[in-house]
């Protein structure tokens, strides 16, 4: 496969899966930004959200993001155009 | 042994240990055993220089003052790291593909290897980072002093503090020089430095965790109790400025990409792109652990320590106050590690930039720029880098001394972040937008840097230091809307948020607008495509046009920059690559474009892309190096093609002229032949009558007894022959006059009818027998003419006489038909009923002296020739029409104007 050849419209199941994992990797920071900005909605001062609550929320979120990133990094592969595709699956060729 | 001496001893041992670690790492890397040096974990730990002493000590103080705001400093980088698929992946790929040596080199390379931009980014980085280095020195000094105060052994006052700072600075500079400039190629990893900062990363993490665990489980009695204490403390409620929360998160994320030291470890020291995958989660994890115990320590410090103690040193003073000296020393080592690793990498990164983009170009220009004839460039580069390191650390120290080490420094962390973040629009724009131009980048950076100075950096030094209070209150030139901390009259914003907002917004806008309006140079467009499309292809930056380049010269230059052994190895490897097999030692590769490009990249790793390009350009020769020059060459080629086109046209023209000349020559030759033939013809024609005249006149003279009858007969022969001779001479004269165009035409008005009448009667004059019957249609002949009627009559007479002479029918008959053509011409056909003219003779009848049948010749054969000449003079023609029955001649001539004809008609009719 050369650099110039257009990307195929439909890909194999494995490639498809990999693309979706890449999508997830792209989506994760967006989700992270939204969730990190959630504290802006909290009511402030006395009677508002307590500091322990804020700590619990932020560090749980943080740990979740780290965990998600770790999970994704296990499956993320850079599919360069020049890289040979994985061995073709049996019959399940293109599903998109 | 006193505690303070113990501390000094531990510190010294620790420093020696770090030198050893760096040394061992360098050695095993050199021996090729350093696989473990390039593990993803080492890479991740090296990123931890993000956490400086400011964050190690300062985060707790930050938390004690403003609650959870400190986490924004870690949340920003966390989001950038987990979003590595967006930006970092591309950044690292570009960095590796282009072998960039610093962030300034990256920006310079992206915008057509512009050194001006590189200088701009370098200055920005130096201005933004120097206070930060001062801050590290301050933190070490402060922590040392705090230790001394706490154990009741105050140091030697202020002098002691400055000496601490001085020795720390000197030690750091020494370490950086030794391990940061061992090898010249900044793109080769500094294994010693990276390993040392990885160790320091572990030390500071474990130190902070140890203090945190001591606080939570040792002092507070568990997690639940700690949380209760937190809620009960003065920072027990969520109290956050939303603008600061968002702005700081953004700023710290940007700083991760733009800080020179972060760029150094993230991109330049990256050994394998796959490491980024691990770092994408491991580094956020590291940051999480670093900030986990910050709030508990802050709360416990506020609770336990006396009022007014510096919250920035809680990490140190809390264990000391609780009597945990060992823990305190460990904590001190953590802070020390944070400070030193930051200073080492920051000075290394800055020194690379300063040396590559400021010192080396100046030196090259100063020495006449001939890389191949000057001294040992490798030595010069190393020296310049070492001096730059020393200079930058010294600058930090001087800044520390001048600023007095006061609280003004504490605010400098975020100010510094905001300064280097000005590179962000240009960097992101350069990576993702091919339309970004050098001018746009320069304009954006200038605006951003200027605004950052005006709204944040200068005011942060305190009113009155550089910016007078009046300026802060009333704005520049007294314009209220130009107040540094309330631009455009928008007040009430936090100064930091205000500065970040305006500087980055206007920076990005200017960058975008100027880029849109300007046009990139070919080099910029090429580099832009390389950068933006780096993930699609592993293409080449530009190709060198080989030929003029001398492998030996390149070798000499490469040796001076890379070092003799490295250069030889590189050249041999390239030669082997070209030959496709192993080659003998000392073989030189051909200077193919491919090789030159790899060589330039190799050199670029040492001295920066722009300098390497200039150096190779000098040796390869200015003939065809840059795209701009290639374009110039293309222009020249186009001109040459145009020129040769012109030449070709000229030569075509010449060829055509020559052909014409040849034709003319042929014609002349033909004419000459014709003239000769004509002369011989004419002599022959003259000779025939002359012969008979001579013969008969001789008879008359010499013969005595000539009867009068014979006498008369002979003299009439002589007379006839003389008449014939005269006619011939008349004809010849006539012809030559006509041919030379010297004839005067006597143009009159008249009708065809008149002309034909005269001709018929004249032709019949000598022939009363009237053998030839002439048939005419007089009504059709009534056509007006404006011509020489005498000459026209001559033609008609000739044609009629010919018919009389040659028509071989039983009852000879000549039909004369006249008709007016639609194109305003008159046709007169002379058609007899004889056998006509044989095919082979038709071409010749109009030639001079041609006679169809010599036996019946009456004239000299000039009649039709004269006719044709006359008709041409009169603007008409006479032709023989083949295919008709009998001889058929057609005379064509122009008719007189129609209105004149109607005018004349009554006259001729009357």
């Amino acid at each position: 496969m050369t650099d110039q050849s257009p990307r195929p419209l439909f890909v194999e199941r494995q490639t498809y899966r990999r693309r979706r994992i890449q999508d997830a990797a792209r989506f994760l920071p967006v989700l992270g930004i939204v969730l990190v900005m959630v504290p802006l909605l909290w009511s402030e001062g006395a009677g508002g959200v307590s500091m322990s609550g804020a700590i619990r929320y932020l560090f749980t979120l943080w740990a979740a993001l780290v965990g998600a990133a770790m999970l994704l990094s296990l499956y993320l592969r850079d599919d360069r155009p020049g890289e040979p595709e994985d061995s073709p699956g049996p019959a399940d060729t293109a599903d998109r | 042994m006193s505690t303070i001496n113990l501390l000094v001893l531990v510190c010294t041992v620790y420093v020696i240990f770090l030198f050893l670690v760096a040394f061992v790492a360098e050695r095993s890397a050199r021996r090729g055993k350093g696989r473990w040096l390039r593990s993803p974990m080492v890479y991740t730990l090296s990123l931890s220089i993000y956490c400086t002493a400011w964050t190690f000590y300062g985060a707790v103080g930050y938390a004690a003052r403003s609650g959870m705001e400190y986490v924004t400093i870690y949340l920003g980088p966390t989001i950038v790291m987990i979003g590595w698929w967006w930006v970092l992946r591309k950044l690292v790929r570009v960095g590796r593909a282009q072998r960039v040596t610093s962030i300034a080199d990256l920006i310079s390379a992206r915008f057509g290897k512009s050194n001006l931009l590189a200088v701009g980014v370098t200055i920005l980085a130096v201005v933004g980072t120097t206070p930060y280095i001062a801050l590290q020195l301050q933190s070490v000094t402060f922590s040392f002093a705090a230790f001394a105060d706490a154990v009741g052994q105050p140091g030697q006052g202020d002098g002691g503090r400055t000496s601490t700072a001085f020795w720390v600075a000197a030690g750091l500079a020494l370490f950086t020089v030794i391990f940061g400039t061992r090898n010249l190629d900044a793109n080769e990893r500094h294994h010693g430095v990276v390993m040392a900062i990885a160790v320091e990363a572990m030390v500071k993490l474990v130190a902070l965790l140890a203090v945190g665990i001591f606080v939570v489980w040792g002092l507070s009695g568990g997690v639940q109790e700690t949380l209760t204490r937190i809620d009960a403390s003065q920072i027990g409620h969520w109290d956050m400025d939303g603008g600061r929360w968002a702005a700081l998160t953004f700023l710290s994320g940007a700083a991760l990409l733009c800080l020179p030291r972060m760029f150094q470890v993230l991109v330049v020291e990256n050994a394998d792109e796959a490491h980024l995958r691990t770092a994408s989660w491991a580094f956020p994890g590291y940051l999480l652990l670093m900030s986990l115990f910050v709030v508990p320590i802050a709360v416990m410090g506020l609770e336990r320590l006396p009022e007014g103690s510096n919250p920035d040193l809680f990490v140190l003073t809390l264990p000391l106050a609780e009597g945990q000296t060992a823990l305190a020393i460990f904590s001190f080592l953590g802070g020390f590690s944070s400070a030193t690793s930051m200073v080492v990498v920051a000075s290394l990164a800055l020194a690379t930039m300063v040396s590559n983009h400021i010192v080396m170009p100046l030196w090259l220009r100063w020495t006449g720029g001939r890389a191949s004839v000057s001294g040992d460039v490798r030595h010069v580069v190393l020296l310049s880098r070492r001096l730059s390191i020393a200079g930058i650390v010294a600058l930090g120290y001087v800044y520390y001394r001048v600023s007095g080490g006061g609280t003004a420094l504490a605010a400098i962390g975020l100010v510094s972040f905001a300064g280097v973040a000005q590179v962000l629009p240009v960097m992101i724009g350069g990576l993702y937008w091919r339309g970004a131009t050098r001018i746009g980048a320069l304009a954006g950076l200038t605006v951003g840097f200027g605004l950052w100075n005006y709204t944040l950096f200068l005011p942060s030094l305190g009113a009155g230091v550089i910016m007078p209070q009046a300026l802060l209150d009333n704005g520049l030139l007294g314009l209220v809307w130009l107040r540094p901390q309330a631009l455009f009259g928008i007040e009430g914003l936090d100064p930091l948020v205000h500065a970040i907002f305006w500087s980055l917004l206007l920076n990005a806008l200017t960058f975008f607008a100027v880029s849109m309006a300007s046009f990139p140079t070919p080099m910029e467009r090429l580099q832009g495509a390389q950068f933006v499309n780096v993930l699609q292809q592993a293409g080449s930056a530009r190709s060198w046009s080989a030929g003029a380049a001398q492998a030996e010269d390149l070798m000499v230059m490469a040796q001076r920059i890379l070092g003799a052994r490295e250069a030889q190895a590189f050249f041999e490897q390239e030669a082997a690559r070209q030959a496709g097999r192993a080659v003998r030692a000392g073989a030189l590769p051909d200077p193919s474009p491919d090789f030159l490009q790899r060589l330039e990249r190799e050199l670029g790793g040492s001295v920066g892309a722009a300098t390497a390009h200039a150096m190779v350009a000098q040796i390869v020769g200015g003939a065809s190096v840059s795209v701009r020059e290639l374009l110039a060459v293309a222009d020249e080629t186009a001109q040459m093609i145009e020129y040769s086109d012109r030449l070709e046209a000229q030569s075509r023209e010449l060829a055509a002229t020559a052909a014409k000349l040849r034709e003319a020559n042929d014609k002349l030759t033909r004419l000459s032949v014709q003239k000769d033939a004509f002369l011989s013809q004419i002599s022959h024609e003259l000779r025939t009558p002359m012969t008979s005249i001579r013969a008969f006149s001789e008879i008359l003279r010499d013969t005595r007894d000539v009867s009068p009858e014979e006498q008369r007969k002979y003299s009439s022969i002589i007379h006839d022959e003389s008449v014939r001779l005269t006619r011939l001479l008349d004809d010849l004269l006539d012809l030559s006059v006509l041919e030379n165009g010297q004839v005067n035409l006597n143009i009159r008005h008249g009708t065809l009818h008149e002309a034909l009448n005269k001709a018929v009667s004249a032709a019949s004059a000598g022939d009363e027998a009237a053998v030839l019957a002439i048939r005419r249609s007089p009504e059709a002949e009534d056509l007006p003419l404006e011509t020489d009627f005498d000459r026209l009559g001559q033609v008609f007479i000739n044609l009629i006489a010919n018919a009389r002479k040659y028509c071989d029918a039983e009852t000879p008959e000549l039909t004369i038909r006249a008709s007016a053509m639609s194109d305003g011409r008159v046709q007169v056909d002379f058609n007899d009923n004889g056998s006509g003219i044989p095919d082979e003779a038709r071409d010749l009848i109009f030639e001079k002296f041609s006679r169809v049948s010599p036996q019946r010749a009456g004239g000299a054969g000039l009649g039709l020739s004269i006719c044709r000449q006359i008709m041409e003079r009169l603007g008409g023609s006479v032709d023989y029409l083949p295919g008709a029955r009998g001889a058929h001649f057609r005379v064509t001539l122009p008719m007189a104007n129609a209105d004149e004809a109607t005018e004349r008609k009554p006259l001729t009719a009357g």
Side-chain angles (χ1 to χ4, degrees), chain A residues 16-92:
Chain A
Y16 176 86
R17 197 42 59 210
R18 201 161 61 216
R19 296 251 170 97
R20 298 296 80 76
I21 288 171
Q22 291 173 8
D23 288 349
R26 289 195 183 91
F27 178 66
L28 189 61
V30 178
L31 185 72
I33 291 171
V34 171
L35 292 179
V36 163
M37 290 305 144
V38 162
L40 297 182
L41 307 173
W42 294 345
S43 56
E44 294 182 10
V49 175
S50 70
M51 186 54 97
S52 62
I55 290 177
R56 276 203 194 98
Y57 172 78
L58 282 172
F59 281 92
T60 311
L61 165 65
W62 203 336
L65 287 177
V66 169
M70 184 171 161
L71 209 62
L72 283 175
S73 82
L74 293 179
Y75 295 101
L76 264 180
R77 288 286 186 281
D78 203 344
D79 64 336
R80 301 182 196 183
E83 198 174 81
E85 291 289 321
D86 292 341
S87 56
D92 57 343

Side-chain angles (χ1 to χ4, degrees), chain B residues 463-496:
Chain B
V465 176
I466 292 180
M467 262 188 182
Q469 186 65 43
L471 183 70
L472 285 171
D473 291 341
N474 301 325
L476 194 65
L477 306 172
L479 296 170
V480 178
W481 59 276
L482 278 183
R483 272 174 297 167
Q485 295 183 335
L487 279 185
F488 306 110
I490 298 174
E491 290 183 63
L493 270 181
D494 178 80
L496 184 71

Side-chain angles (χ1 to χ4, degrees), chain B residues 14 17-29 33-49 175 179-180 189-203 265 269 337 341 344-345 348:
Chain B
Y14 180 64
F17 168 68
L18 284 181
F19 270 78
L20 265 178
V21 165
F23 181 70
V24 168
E26 281 288 343
R27 239 173 57 141
S28 46
K33 285 194 249 165
R35 282 186 66 84
W36 55 279
L37 292 170
R38 289 187 288 271
S39 75
M41 271 306 157
V42 170
Y43 177 68
T44 307
L45 285 175
S46 74
L47 296 184
S48 74
I49 56 151
F175 180 88
F179 293 105
R189 279 83 225 163
H190 302 103
H191 298 291
V193 173
V194 169
M195 205 55 221
I197 59 177
V199 168
E200 290 190 301
M202 286 313 292
V203 169
V265 288
E269 304 279 352
S337 298
S341 57
V344 166
V345 180
L348 186 62

Side-chain angles (χ1 to χ4, degrees), chain B residues 460-798:
Chain B
S460 80
L461 298 176
V465 176
I466 292 180
M467 262 188 182
Q469 186 65 43
L471 183 70
L472 285 171
D473 291 341
N474 301 325
L476 194 65
L477 306 172
L479 296 170
V480 178
W481 59 276
L482 278 183
R483 272 174 297 167
Q485 295 183 335
L487 279 185
F488 306 110
I490 298 174
E491 290 183 63
L493 270 181
D494 178 80
L496 184 71
V497 175
H498 171 267
I500 294 169
F501 177 74
W502 284 117
S503 63
L504 278 176
L505 179 73
L506 293 180
N507 175 346
L509 275 182
T510 313
F511 170 53
F512 179 72
V514 177
S515 286
M516 295 285 280
S518 58
F519 194 80
T521 62
M523 194 59 155
E524 280 176 72
R525 297 175 75 177
L526 208 63
Q527 288 292 96
Q530 293 270 327
F531 272 60
V532 175
N533 300 331
V534 72
L535 292 176
Q536 275 87 55
Q537 86 234 339
S540 53
R542 96 200 57 74
S543 68
W544 284 102
S545 166
Q550 297 299 314
E552 287 87 357
D553 291 345
L554 290 171
M555 179 76 182
V556 169
M557 180 187 70
Q559 277 184 354
R560 288 190 169 141
I561 294 172
L562 303 173
R565 213 144 32 87
E566 289 86 345
Q568 270 160 17
F570 176 74
F571 272 61
E572 254 168 51
Q573 176 196 332
E574 286 297 317
R577 187 204 294 267
Q578 282 184 358
R581 62 192 158 75
V583 292
R584 68 190 162 73
L588 288 175
D590 290 331
S592 65
D594 206 32
F595 162 65
L596 288 175
Q597 195 172 314
R598 269 199 294 277
L599 175 66
E600 194 196 320
R601 282 201 180 162
E602 198 69 30
L603 295 177
S606 296
V607 292
T611 312
H613 188 64
M615 284 177 147
V616 176
Q618 273 162 7
I619 288 185
V620 173
S624 49
V625 269
S626 71
V627 175
R628 198 182 310 148
E629 280 154 349
L630 277 180
L631 285 185
V633 170
D635 277 353
E636 271 172 30
T637 314
Q639 279 172 5
M640 268 158 63
I641 288 172
E642 199 180 311
Y643 182 63
S644 80
D645 275 354
R646 267 208 305 269
L647 275 184
E648 209 174 307
Q650 276 175 358
S651 86
R652 261 203 306 275
E653 218 168 280
L654 278 178
T657 315
K660 269 187 204 150
L661 279 175
R662 249 198 314 278
E663 233 169 74
N665 189 40
D666 286 352
K667 204 171 175 183
L668 279 176
T669 316
R670 260 202 324 273
L671 281 175
S672 161
V673 170
Q674 224 171 20
K675 194 190 74 189
D676 289 348
F678 178 72
L679 281 176
S680 70
Q681 271 285 0
I682 221 164
S683 342
H684 176 74
E685 292 294 329
L686 291 173
R687 190 187 162 85
T688 318
M690 287 301 261
T691 311
S692 39
I693 288 171
R694 210 178 83 192
F696 284 106
S697 57
E698 274 170 5
I699 292 170
L700 285 175
R701 189 190 65 193
D702 299 340
T703 317
R704 299 270 167 217
D705 49 350
V706 182
S707 65
E709 201 166 325
E710 274 175 331
Q711 204 175 2
R712 199 166 46 247
K713 184 187 167 194
Y714 292 157
S715 48
S716 78
I717 287 175
I718 291 172
H719 178 258
D720 281 354
E721 289 300 317
S722 336
V723 168
R724 189 175 146 198
L725 203 55
T726 314
R727 203 171 56 223
L728 179 65
L729 288 172
D730 279 348
D731 282 355
L732 274 176
L733 199 62
D734 217 8
L735 191 64
S736 99
V737 164
L738 281 168
E739 277 188 343
N740 290 327
Q742 289 164 343
V743 66
N744 289 318
L745 295 176
N746 179 20
I747 305 291
R748 286 184 292 116
H749 285 283
T751 64
L752 181 64
H753 188 65
E754 294 163 22
L756 280 172
N757 278 348
K758 269 188 194 163
V760 168
S761 55
S764 312
D767 181 28
E768 274 72 28
V771 189
L772 181 73
I774 296 177
R775 301 219 310 232
R776 292 169 57 194
S777 47
E779 61 281 7
E781 291 165 8
D782 189 16
L783 296 167
L785 293 177
E786 185 181 4
T787 185
D788 185 332
F789 278 85
D790 299 335
R791 293 288 181 185
L792 187 60
Q794 201 180 340
V795 173
F796 290 163
I797 290 166
N798 196 293

Side-chain angles (χ1 to χ4, degrees), chain B residues 145-352:
Chain B
F147 220 98
D149 289 342
V151 294
Q153 294 170 331
Q156 301 90 339
D158 201 40
R161 288 187 175 195
T162 44
S163 73
T164 310
F166 178 78
W167 287 115
V168 169
L172 287 174
L174 182 70
F175 180 88
T176 315
V177 165
I178 289 178
F179 293 105
T181 60
R182 277 186 90 85
N183 43 26
L184 180 54
D185 194 343
N187 224 271
E188 269 176 36
R189 279 83 225 163
H190 302 103
H191 298 291
V193 173
V194 169
M195 205 55 221
I197 59 177
V199 168
E200 290 190 301
M202 286 313 292
V203 169
K204 65 189 176 193
L205 178 65
V206 174
L208 201 60
L209 285 180
V211 175
I213 288 167
F214 167 70
V215 166
V216 172
W217 281 279
L219 295 179
S220 189
V223 178
Q224 207 49 53
E225 287 80 359
T226 310
L227 288 177
T228 319
R229 266 172 211 273
I230 290 171
D231 282 344
S233 73
Q234 52 182 291
I235 54 168
H237 291 283
W238 180 256
D239 196 3
M240 181 65 56
D241 177 346
R244 270 181 80 86
W245 178 264
L248 288 180
T249 308
F250 169 76
L251 187 62
S252 57
L256 182 79
L257 296 171
C258 298
L259 280 171
R261 66 172 195 275
M262 285 318 290
F263 191 86
Q264 177 81 26
V265 288
L266 202 56
V267 179
V268 180
E269 304 279 352
N270 176 280
D272 185 348
E273 276 175 49
H275 292 174
L276 201 55
R277 220 151 44 91
T278 308
S280 73
W281 60 266
F283 183 58
Y286 182 92
L287 294 178
L288 169 66
L289 292 178
M290 279 299 278
S291 49
L292 192 56
F293 292 111
V294 168
V295 177
I297 295 171
V299 168
M300 194 54 78
L302 287 173
E303 200 178 294
R304 297 257 174 135
L305 291 175
E307 198 79 8
S309 39
N310 186 356
D312 282 337
L313 294 171
F314 279 176
V315 183
L316 200 61
T317 47
L318 199 57
L320 273 178
E322 298 299 324
Q324 299 283 339
T325 314
L327 186 60
I329 290 178
F330 192 31
S331 164
F332 175 82
L333 279 186
F336 184 74
S337 298
S338 312
T340 51
S341 57
M342 183 271 164
V343 175
V344 166
V345 180
S347 61
L348 186 62
L350 284 180
T352 307

